[in-house]
Amino acid sequence: MRIDPATGHLHLGEGLITPATTPADLGADFRLDEPRPVQVLERQVSCHFAHLALRDGLLDIELSLRFEEERLVSLFLTLKDPADSDDDFDAALPRRERLHRHWLTARLGEQNDFPWGTAGVARDKSENVFIYLHNRNNGWAFAG
């Protein structure tokens, strides 16, 4: 797996994920959720999520793609070191954040904003850490 810093395209073996990728373009390895309406800014949009489990060296990676109205707007990567135990999820938060930041920096450098979009590390409400890449199709990430 490789992220092209110049384009934000994700290379997966022989496959390529770009802002032009649609749910119909995905291979059978992807698990595609049913579309559902999601509130984006002031409007409802049809949203699809696709998921793929990967391995990068010793890390397990969950790749999730977010499509709004069949257009790819974001991809998310959740990294898990199999050597880590799930015993103390909260105490491991700083270590998980460092792992994600180090992985992303090794691929894209320290920069967060690019001509093709933006990338970074974030946490959800459940304290799950993930890497995000938003492309220019993402109206809510680039609004205002």
Side-chain angles (χ1 to χ4, degrees), residues 47-129:
C47 190
H48 252 128
F49 286 92
H51 310 277
L52 179 65
L54 303 164
R55 186 96 155 148
D56 185 34
L58 298 176
L59 296 175
D60 292 325
I61 300 177
E62 174 70 26
L63 168 65
S64 297
L65 307 176
R66 179 181 170 127
F67 296 91
E68 292 177 5
E69 297 173 343
E70 304 303 306
R71 294 176 60 206
L72 181 66
V73 296
S74 301
L75 66 86
F76 306 96
L77 299 160
T78 303
L79 312 178
K80 182 163 185 345
D81 185 342
D84 286 346
S85 78
D86 292 329
D87 294 341
D88 200 349
F89 184 80
D90 292 332
L93 180 60
R95 188 175 64 251
R96 291 194 321 271
E97 284 184 334
R98 281 191 306 274
L99 172 67
H100 284 73
R101 287 188 200 292
H102 175 75
W103 191 94
L104 182 60
T105 299
R107 281 141 185 88
L108 295 180
E110 295 290 334
Q111 186 174 349
N112 288 22
D113 294 313
F114 300 87
W116 52 262
T118 187
V121 175
R123 285 188 267 165
D124 65 17
K125 293 176 184 175
S126 299
E127 300 294 343
N128 295 303
V129 179

Side-chain angles (χ1 to χ4, degrees), residues 8-72:
H9 296 174
L10 180 67
H11 298 262
L12 296 170
E14 297 297 316
L16 182 65
I17 306 292
T18 76
T21 300
T22 68
D25 297 330
L26 300 176
D29 292 341
F30 278 89
R31 186 181 85 246
L32 188 62
D33 295 347
E34 289 297 318
R36 64 178 186 254
V38 175
Q39 185 74 29
V40 177
L41 301 176
E42 284 83 42
R43 62 188 186 95
Q44 290 275 334
V45 298
S46 177
C47 190
H48 252 128
F49 286 92
H51 310 277
L52 179 65
L54 303 164
R55 186 96 155 148
D56 185 34
L58 298 176
L59 296 175
D60 292 325
I61 300 177
E62 174 70 26
L63 168 65
S64 297
L65 307 176
R66 179 181 170 127
F67 296 91
E68 292 177 5
E69 297 173 343
E70 304 303 306
R71 294 176 60 206
L72 181 66

Side-chain angles (χ1 to χ4, degrees), residues 125-140:
K125 293 176 184 175
S126 299
E127 300 294 343
N128 295 303
V129 179
F130 60 92
I131 294 166
Y132 63 85
L133 280 82
H134 301 308
N135 67 49
R136 294 289 172 183
N137 291 339
N138 191 322
W140 58 266

